[in-house]
PDB file of all heavy atoms in Angstrom:
ATOM      1  N   ASN Z  36      97.828 147.781  81.263  1.00  0.00           N
ATOM      2  CA  ASN Z  36      96.972 148.119  80.104  1.00  0.00           C
ATOM      3  C   ASN Z  36      95.816 148.992  80.558  1.00  0.00           C
ATOM      4  O   ASN Z  36      95.468 149.994  79.914  1.00  0.00           O
ATOM      5  CB  ASN Z  36      96.372 146.856  79.477  1.00  0.00           C
ATOM      6  CG  ASN Z  36      97.401 146.078  78.674  1.00  0.00           C
ATOM      7  OD1 ASN Z  36      98.487 146.587  78.386  1.00  0.00           O
ATOM      8  ND2 ASN Z  36      97.073 144.854  78.331  1.00  0.00           N
ATOM      9  N   GLU Z  37      95.202 148.621  81.672  1.00  0.00           N
ATOM     10  CA  GLU Z  37      94.030 149.369  82.147  1.00  0.00           C
ATOM     11  C   GLU Z  37      94.399 150.770  82.601  1.00  0.00           C
ATOM     12  O   GLU Z  37      93.688 151.728  82.320  1.00  0.00           O
ATOM     13  CB  GLU Z  37      93.332 148.583  83.266  1.00  0.00           C
ATOM     14  CG  GLU Z  37      92.587 147.415  82.660  1.00  0.00           C
ATOM     15  CD  GLU Z  37      91.859 146.567  83.671  1.00  0.00           C
ATOM     16  OE1 GLU Z  37      91.859 146.904  84.869  1.00  0.00           O
ATOM     17  OE2 GLU Z  37      91.295 145.549  83.225  1.00  0.00           O
ATOM     18  N   ILE Z  38      95.540 150.885  83.276  1.00  0.00           N
ATOM     19  CA  ILE Z  38      95.952 152.232  83.713  1.00  0.00           C
ATOM     20  C   ILE Z  38      96.279 153.101  82.485  1.00  0.00           C
ATOM     21  O   ILE Z  38      95.937 154.283  82.437  1.00  0.00           O
ATOM     22  CB  ILE Z  38      97.172 152.172  84.667  1.00  0.00           C
ATOM     23  CG1 ILE Z  38      96.841 151.346  85.913  1.00  0.00           C
ATOM     24  CG2 ILE Z  38      97.613 153.581  85.069  1.00  0.00           C
ATOM     25  CD1 ILE Z  38      98.021 151.108  86.846  1.00  0.00           C
ATOM     26  N   GLU Z  39      96.893 152.486  81.486  1.00  0.00           N
ATOM     27  CA  GLU Z  39      97.226 153.245  80.267  1.00  0.00           C
ATOM     28  C   GLU Z  39      95.960 153.783  79.602  1.00  0.00           C
ATOM     29  O   GLU Z  39      95.903 154.954  79.207  1.00  0.00           O
ATOM     30  CB  GLU Z  39      97.979 152.349  79.266  1.00  0.00           C
ATOM     31  CG  GLU Z  39      99.458 152.204  79.578  1.00  0.00           C
ATOM     32  CD  GLU Z  39     100.259 151.546  78.441  1.00  0.00           C
ATOM     33  OE1 GLU Z  39      99.667 150.794  77.641  1.00  0.00           O
ATOM     34  OE2 GLU Z  39     101.455 151.786  78.364  1.00  0.00           O
ATOM     35  N   ILE Z  40      94.951 152.925  79.519  1.00  0.00           N
ATOM     36  CA  ILE Z  40      93.707 153.351  78.857  1.00  0.00           C
ATOM     37  C   ILE Z  40      93.043 154.460  79.668  1.00  0.00           C
ATOM     38  O   ILE Z  40      92.668 155.509  79.135  1.00  0.00           O
ATOM     39  CB  ILE Z  40      92.750 152.154  78.668  1.00  0.00           C
ATOM     40  CG1 ILE Z  40      93.340 151.185  77.642  1.00  0.00           C
ATOM     41  CG2 ILE Z  40      91.362 152.617  78.218  1.00  0.00           C
ATOM     42  CD1 ILE Z  40      92.652 149.835  77.587  1.00  0.00           C
ATOM     43  N   ALA Z  41      92.955 154.253  80.982  1.00  0.00           N
ATOM     44  CA  ALA Z  41      92.246 155.232  81.818  1.00  0.00           C
ATOM     45  C   ALA Z  41      92.979 156.567  81.892  1.00  0.00           C
ATOM     46  O   ALA Z  41      92.348 157.625  81.966  1.00  0.00           O
ATOM     47  CB  ALA Z  41      92.059 154.655  83.226  1.00  0.00           C
ATOM     48  N   SER Z  42      94.305 156.523  81.858  1.00  0.00           N
ATOM     49  CA  SER Z  42      95.072 157.774  82.030  1.00  0.00           C
ATOM     50  C   SER Z  42      95.447 158.412  80.702  1.00  0.00           C
ATOM     51  O   SER Z  42      95.810 159.594  80.645  1.00  0.00           O
ATOM     52  CB  SER Z  42      96.363 157.493  82.826  1.00  0.00           C
ATOM     53  OG  SER Z  42      97.218 156.670  82.062  1.00  0.00           O
ATOM     54  N   GLY Z  43      95.386 157.645  79.628  1.00  0.00           N
ATOM     55  CA  GLY Z  43      95.818 158.160  78.328  1.00  0.00           C
ATOM     56  C   GLY Z  43      97.332 158.323  78.251  1.00  0.00           C
ATOM     57  O   GLY Z  43      97.845 158.935  77.315  1.00  0.00           O
ATOM     58  N   GLU Z  44      98.051 157.763  79.221  1.00  0.00           N
ATOM     59  CA  GLU Z  44      99.523 157.886  79.243  1.00  0.00           C
ATOM     60  C   GLU Z  44     100.161 156.542  78.918  1.00  0.00           C
ATOM     61  O   GLU Z  44      99.729 155.513  79.414  1.00  0.00           O
ATOM     62  CB  GLU Z  44     100.001 158.309  80.641  1.00  0.00           C
ATOM     63  CG  GLU Z  44      99.566 159.683  81.078  1.00  0.00           C
ATOM     64  CD  GLU Z  44     100.395 160.791  80.439  1.00  0.00           C
ATOM     65  OE1 GLU Z  44     101.418 160.482  79.795  1.00  0.00           O
ATOM     66  OE2 GLU Z  44     100.004 161.957  80.596  1.00  0.00           O
ATOM     67  N   LYS Z  45     101.216 156.595  78.108  1.00  0.00           N
ATOM     68  CA  LYS Z  45     101.935 155.363  77.779  1.00  0.00           C
ATOM     69  C   LYS Z  45     102.975 155.053  78.855  1.00  0.00           C
ATOM     70  O   LYS Z  45     103.685 155.953  79.308  1.00  0.00           O
ATOM     71  CB  LYS Z  45     102.646 155.564  76.435  1.00  0.00           C
ATOM     72  CG  LYS Z  45     102.447 154.424  75.483  1.00  0.00           C
ATOM     73  CD  LYS Z  45     103.009 154.763  74.122  1.00  0.00           C
ATOM     74  CE  LYS Z  45     103.787 153.625  73.487  1.00  0.00           C
ATOM     75  NZ  LYS Z  45     103.598 152.296  73.909  1.00  0.00           N
ATOM     76  N   PHE Z  46     103.037 153.835  79.270  1.00  0.00           N
ATOM     77  CA  PHE Z  46     104.022 153.419  80.277  1.00  0.00           C
ATOM     78  C   PHE Z  46     105.359 153.065  79.630  1.00  0.00           C
ATOM     79  O   PHE Z  46     105.429 152.748  78.447  1.00  0.00           O
ATOM     80  CB  PHE Z  46     103.512 152.181  81.038  1.00  0.00           C
ATOM     81  CG  PHE Z  46     102.747 152.507  82.288  1.00  0.00           C
ATOM     82  CD1 PHE Z  46     101.644 153.332  82.249  1.00  0.00           C
ATOM     83  CD2 PHE Z  46     103.142 151.984  83.515  1.00  0.00           C
ATOM     84  CE1 PHE Z  46     100.934 153.638  83.404  1.00  0.00           C
ATOM     85  CE2 PHE Z  46     102.454 152.273  84.676  1.00  0.00           C
ATOM     86  CZ  PHE Z  46     101.343 153.111  84.621  1.00  0.00           C
ATOM     87  N   ILE Z  47     106.409 153.111  80.445  1.00  0.00           N
ATOM     88  CA  ILE Z  47     107.673 152.487  80.067  1.00  0.00           C
ATOM     89  C   ILE Z  47     107.504 151.043  80.503  1.00  0.00           C
ATOM     90  O   ILE Z  47     107.554 150.728  81.695  1.00  0.00           O
ATOM     91  CB  ILE Z  47     108.875 153.112  80.829  1.00  0.00           C
ATOM     92  CG1 ILE Z  47     108.881 154.632  80.731  1.00  0.00           C
ATOM     93  CG2 ILE Z  47     110.191 152.481  80.379  1.00  0.00           C
ATOM     94  CD1 ILE Z  47     109.238 155.183  79.391  1.00  0.00           C
ATOM     95  N   ARG Z  48     107.251 150.170  79.540  1.00  0.00           N
ATOM     96  CA  ARG Z  48     106.841 148.810  79.889  1.00  0.00           C
ATOM     97  C   ARG Z  48     108.033 147.881  79.924  1.00  0.00           C
ATOM     98  O   ARG Z  48     108.643 147.607  78.903  1.00  0.00           O
ATOM     99  CB  ARG Z  48     105.787 148.338  78.898  1.00  0.00           C
ATOM    100  CG  ARG Z  48     104.573 149.268  78.943  1.00  0.00           C
ATOM    101  CD  ARG Z  48     103.380 148.658  78.370  1.00  0.00           C
ATOM    102  NE  ARG Z  48     102.893 147.550  79.138  1.00  0.00           N
ATOM    103  CZ  ARG Z  48     101.602 147.253  79.250  1.00  0.00           C
ATOM    104  NH1 ARG Z  48     100.695 148.013  78.668  1.00  0.00           N
ATOM    105  NH2 ARG Z  48     101.212 146.196  79.939  1.00  0.00           N
ATOM    106  N   MET Z  49     108.317 147.413  81.115  1.00  0.00           N
ATOM    107  CA  MET Z  49     109.490 146.558  81.268  1.00  0.00           C
ATOM    108  C   MET Z  49     109.119 145.242  81.957  1.00  0.00           C
ATOM    109  O   MET Z  49     109.981 144.562  82.480  1.00  0.00           O
ATOM    110  CB  MET Z  49     110.548 147.277  82.106  1.00  0.00           C
ATOM    111  CG  MET Z  49     110.921 148.663  81.575  1.00  0.00           C
ATOM    112  SD  MET Z  49     112.357 149.316  82.396  1.00  0.00           S
ATOM    113  CE  MET Z  49     111.777 149.348  84.080  1.00  0.00           C
ATOM    114  N   GLU Z  50     107.805 144.928  81.972  1.00  0.00           N
ATOM    115  CA  GLU Z  50     107.402 143.754  82.753  1.00  0.00           C
ATOM    116  C   GLU Z  50     107.487 142.449  81.977  1.00  0.00           C
ATOM    117  O   GLU Z  50     107.709 141.395  82.563  1.00  0.00           O
ATOM    118  CB  GLU Z  50     105.987 143.942  83.341  1.00  0.00           C
ATOM    119  CG  GLU Z  50     104.811 143.837  82.390  1.00  0.00           C
ATOM    120  CD  GLU Z  50     104.499 145.132  81.667  1.00  0.00           C
ATOM    121  OE1 GLU Z  50     105.397 145.979  81.518  1.00  0.00           O
ATOM    122  OE2 GLU Z  50     103.355 145.283  81.205  1.00  0.00           O
ATOM    123  N   MET Z  51     107.309 142.504  80.677  1.00  0.00           N
ATOM    124  CA  MET Z  51     107.190 141.239  79.960  1.00  0.00           C
ATOM    125  C   MET Z  51     108.376 141.007  79.022  1.00  0.00           C
ATOM    126  O   MET Z  51     108.775 141.910  78.298  1.00  0.00           O
ATOM    127  CB  MET Z  51     105.889 141.241  79.150  1.00  0.00           C
ATOM    128  CG  MET Z  51     105.381 139.866  78.897  1.00  0.00           C
ATOM    129  SD  MET Z  51     103.747 139.949  78.201  1.00  0.00           S
ATOM    130  CE  MET Z  51     103.693 138.405  77.355  1.00  0.00           C
ATOM    131  N   GLY Z  52     108.912 139.802  79.042  1.00  0.00           N
ATOM    132  CA  GLY Z  52     110.079 139.485  78.206  1.00  0.00           C
ATOM    133  C   GLY Z  52     109.672 139.006  76.832  1.00  0.00           C
ATOM    134  O   GLY Z  52     109.824 137.839  76.504  1.00  0.00           O
ATOM    135  N   VAL Z  53     109.139 139.936  76.030  1.00  0.00           N
ATOM    136  CA  VAL Z  53     108.770 139.563  74.656  1.00  0.00           C
ATOM    137  C   VAL Z  53     109.702 140.281  73.686  1.00  0.00           C
ATOM    138  O   VAL Z  53     110.166 141.376  73.977  1.00  0.00           O
ATOM    139  CB  VAL Z  53     107.305 139.958  74.326  1.00  0.00           C
ATOM    140  CG1 VAL Z  53     106.339 139.089  75.070  1.00  0.00           C
ATOM    141  CG2 VAL Z  53     107.040 141.419  74.644  1.00  0.00           C
ATOM    142  N   PRO Z  54     109.976 139.677  72.532  1.00  0.00           N
ATOM    143  CA  PRO Z  54     110.863 140.374  71.598  1.00  0.00           C
ATOM    144  C   PRO Z  54     110.232 141.676  71.132  1.00  0.00           C
ATOM    145  O   PRO Z  54     109.009 141.751  70.979  1.00  0.00           O
ATOM    146  CB  PRO Z  54     111.001 139.400  70.425  1.00  0.00           C
ATOM    147  CG  PRO Z  54     110.259 138.186  70.763  1.00  0.00           C
ATOM    148  CD  PRO Z  54     109.504 138.391  72.027  1.00  0.00           C
ATOM    149  N   GLY Z  55     111.044 142.695  70.936  1.00  0.00           N
ATOM    150  CA  GLY Z  55     110.508 143.974  70.472  1.00  0.00           C
ATOM    151  C   GLY Z  55     110.917 144.262  69.044  1.00  0.00           C
ATOM    152  O   GLY Z  55     110.863 145.401  68.601  1.00  0.00           O
ATOM    153  N   LEU Z  56     111.331 143.223  68.327  1.00  0.00           N
ATOM    154  CA  LEU Z  56     111.841 143.423  66.971  1.00  0.00           C
ATOM    155  C   LEU Z  56     110.978 142.659  65.965  1.00  0.00           C
ATOM    156  O   LEU Z  56     110.182 141.803  66.336  1.00  0.00           O
ATOM    157  CB  LEU Z  56     113.288 142.928  66.884  1.00  0.00           C
ATOM    158  CG  LEU Z  56     114.273 143.554  67.886  1.00  0.00           C
ATOM    159  CD1 LEU Z  56     115.602 142.820  67.855  1.00  0.00           C
ATOM    160  CD2 LEU Z  56     114.461 145.030  67.596  1.00  0.00           C
ATOM    161  N   GLU Z  57     111.204 142.960  64.692  1.00  0.00           N
ATOM    162  CA  GLU Z  57     110.498 142.231  63.633  1.00  0.00           C
ATOM    163  C   GLU Z  57     111.008 140.785  63.575  1.00  0.00           C
ATOM    164  O   GLU Z  57     112.184 140.536  63.840  1.00  0.00           O
ATOM    165  CB  GLU Z  57     110.799 142.896  62.281  1.00  0.00           C
ATOM    166  CG  GLU Z  57     110.232 144.297  62.126  1.00  0.00           C
ATOM    167  CD  GLU Z  57     108.712 144.269  62.082  1.00  0.00           C
ATOM    168  OE1 GLU Z  57     108.172 143.486  61.293  1.00  0.00           O
ATOM    169  OE2 GLU Z  57     108.091 145.027  62.856  1.00  0.00           O
TER     170      GLU Z  57
END
Side-chain angles (χ1 to χ4, degrees):
N36 285 347
E37 286 180 4
I38 300 174
E39 279 191 335
I40 292 167
S42 66
E44 295 282 351
K45 227 172 137 20
F46 268 56
I47 309 288
R48 300 199 67 146
M49 306 191 300
E50 74 275 24
M51 206 171 155
V53 289
L56 304 170
E57 293 293 309

